[in-house]
Amino acid sequence: MNTSLEDNYRHKGLRQQLVDLLRTKGITDEAVLSAINEVPRHIFLDSSFVELAYQDKAFPIGSGQTISQPHTVAFQTQLLQVQKGMKVLEIGTGSGYQACVLAAMGAKVFSIERQRNLFFKTKEILEQLSFRVKTFLGDGYEGLTTYQPFDRIIITAGAPSIPEKLIEQLKPGGIMIIPMDNAEGDGQTMLRVTKMEDGSLKKEEFGDFKFVPMLKEIGND
Ligand code: SAH
């Protein structure tokens, strides 16, 4: 991770350009764009990548994982329809960037990471920033029984199916965004799952993406 927390005018300028680019790529939710404008993405990357932090690209963050591409973060966040004060559960803390974007929108963020080294590395960075994110080392398939129910759930790894326990922990009327493995086995389809008041699920598809896999149980792999 970048050890300097400096956020200078150059970083802010680059961030504004990124926001303009995301607009041209179809992100229209002003609350999402303003959160992207607020969160210093370069702080979540290894220092050698600082110059590249504001390109619309995914990057390695160690432990074989990646920080999602800004467009993917913005796209998932826009689909999530977050409002101030909502309780949001994220599966796959990774660098912590997506969690901070949600916190910048006024959400109360709970985020689970299964990869031990990454969990500790990211926890340290988040403690130095002002975004309110609670992180947990655990298996996202299990959710967080003590903090449920959630208004929103966002999964940031490719999932083979809709995790049943997470549906149980979603409020009626709540929304889950999940990149679901496609039948071809070469990527994911972005799915928005709405839990209707009668408990049934409404599913909508929003195009193809590529994520690292959602794995089971805590590990160091
Ligand atoms: N949201 C992240 C991107 C994460 S990449 C960011 O903004 O940087 C996906 C992350 O999901 C990886 O860190 C991976 O270790 C984690 N992951 C995979 N399976 C998981 C599981 N079952 N529970 C929790 N985290 C998981």
Side-chain angles (χ1 to χ4, degrees), residues 6-7 9 23 40 43 47 52 57 66 96 114 123 132 139-140 147 151 172 174 177 192 210 217-218:
E6 188 194 6
D7 186 29
Y9 282 103
R23 267 185 220 282
I43 286 170
S47 51
L52 305 171
K57 287 184 182 158
T66 53
R114 68 168 285 282
K123 193 176 172 60
R132 281 181 48 206
D139 179 357
Y147 293 94
D151 297 286
I177 305 299
R192 177 162 65 194
K210 269 207 160 55
E217 296 162 0
I218 297 170

Side-chain angles (χ1 to χ4, degrees), residues 61 65-68 73 90-99 112-115 118 138-141 156-157 211-217:
I61 49 173
Q65 302 303 329
T66 53
I67 178 172
S68 301
V73 171
E90 178 192 28
I91 310 301
T93 314
S95 68
Y97 176 69
Q98 168 78 72
I112 311 177
E113 173 56 53
R114 68 168 285 282
Q115 225 286 344
L118 202 50
D139 179 357
Y141 281 99
T156 67
F211 284 80
V212 297
M214 184 168 172
L215 304 172
K216 284 209 188 280
E217 296 162 0

